[in-house]
Amino acid sequence: YADSVGLESTEPHYYWQSGASPHERYGGEEQKTMISVDLPSFSDPNPNFISFNPAESKGIQCRFGERGVTAATHYDGGRNMIGMISGAKRYILAPPLECPKLGIVTEKKHPTFRHSLLNFDHINILDSEESKTMPQSEREWLELSRNSMAIDTVLKAGEMLYIPSHWFHYIVSLQKSAQCNVRSGREFKGSPEWGTSEDVLKCAGDEE
């Protein structure tokens, strides 16, 4: 729809989310929903390349959306395997060590807890005339964020992406897309180069 009508970036963009309960993996085929049936590696009760620890799985989450739909920078505690069914999305990843630079909401009762409210696209205008009307607090956060370590990739149909526990990710749908993911188990150890769960817990708190 967004492409067919030339939807502007300032107009509302919508996506549809569906999923499968983690308990489906232990039932018979007749009890499984379409998503579990169509993604057997995601719903397998035994450990595999995609679902590391089925006993700690959060179930399968699928998102179907238009070009231009974004997901704010956030982290998940579970080890995350993402499969792109159709279309393409851009993922920008930042390690746990960079948590203090990303403006993560730390109030657990806040609806955007463990997410960032910053529009990182505004980093591109920090040195321009356009930034003169930018609130000072936003400018200060973006000045900090512009020095954050990050890596980005474009995930296309048929490809998979692994996001380790407590890594931050910002997502932009580049085309009409369908994507499913499963989170299973948590990794606390991390590494000295990228940081650990402790860096995120000190900075933003535990998602649980």
Side-chain angles (χ1 to χ4, degrees):
Y1 175 77
D3 289 323
S4 64
V5 303
L7 196 64
E8 295 292 337
S9 61
T10 53
E11 295 295 321
H13 288 60
Y14 299 97
Y15 77 91
W16 177 58
Q17 180 174 341
S18 185
S21 164
H23 304 297
E24 284 190 19
R25 68 184 66 243
Y26 301 111
E29 290 300 312
E30 70 283 353
Q31 297 177 323
K32 292 184 178 179
T33 60
M34 174 190 71
I35 291 174
S36 290
V37 171
D38 287 353
L39 299 172
S41 296
F42 285 64
S43 59
D44 192 338
N46 301 305
N48 59 44
F49 176 75
I50 293 173
S51 183
F52 310 107
N53 187 350
E56 295 185 27
S57 170
K58 298 287 188 178
I60 306 171
Q61 292 85 40
C62 297
R63 295 168 177 84
F64 310 85
E66 295 284 352
R67 171 202 40 84
V69 172
T70 64
T73 298
H74 67 285
Y75 77 91
D76 298 304
R79 294 181 292 177
N80 200 353
M81 282 295 279
I82 302 164
M84 189 60 62
I85 311 301
S86 65
K89 288 185 175 182
R90 183 187 183 200
Y91 286 77
I92 303 175
L93 311 175
L97 202 59
E98 301 293 28
C99 181
K101 300 178 182 178
L102 302 177
I104 302 300
V105 175
T106 60
E107 173 53 55
K108 287 192 175 184
K109 293 183 179 180
H110 196 284
T112 56
F113 170 61
R114 71 185 173 82
H115 290 67
S116 175
L117 296 178
L118 294 175
N119 183 343
F120 294 112
D121 189 51
H122 288 176
I123 290 175
N124 297 318
I125 64 170
L126 278 176
D127 301 320
S128 72
E129 290 292 317
E130 293 180 74
S131 69
K132 287 186 175 180
T133 58
M134 183 183 295
Q136 184 61 29
S137 60
E138 181 183 12
R139 172 180 288 280
E140 290 173 357
W141 269 112
L142 291 176
E143 291 284 3
L144 192 62
S145 299
R146 77 193 310 184
N147 296 313
S148 168
M149 291 188 291
I151 186 171
D152 74 322
T153 186
V154 174
L155 194 65
K156 300 182 288 294
E159 297 180 339
M160 299 206 68
L161 174 66
Y162 171 58
I163 300 181
S165 294
H166 303 101
W167 274 64
F168 297 91
H169 41 292
Y170 173 73
I171 311 164
V172 182
S173 187
L174 303 178
Q175 301 171 342
K176 182 171 68 175
S177 62
Q179 160 259 309
C180 296
N181 70 288
V182 61
R183 288 183 280 143
S184 58
R186 301 180 73 173
E187 170 59 48
F188 294 95
K189 190 174 181 181
S191 71
E193 297 84 3
W194 308 120
T196 70
S197 61
E198 283 301 313
D199 292 297
V200 174
L201 297 181
K202 290 176 184 177
C203 164
D206 192 337
E207 68 164 334
E208 302 299 335

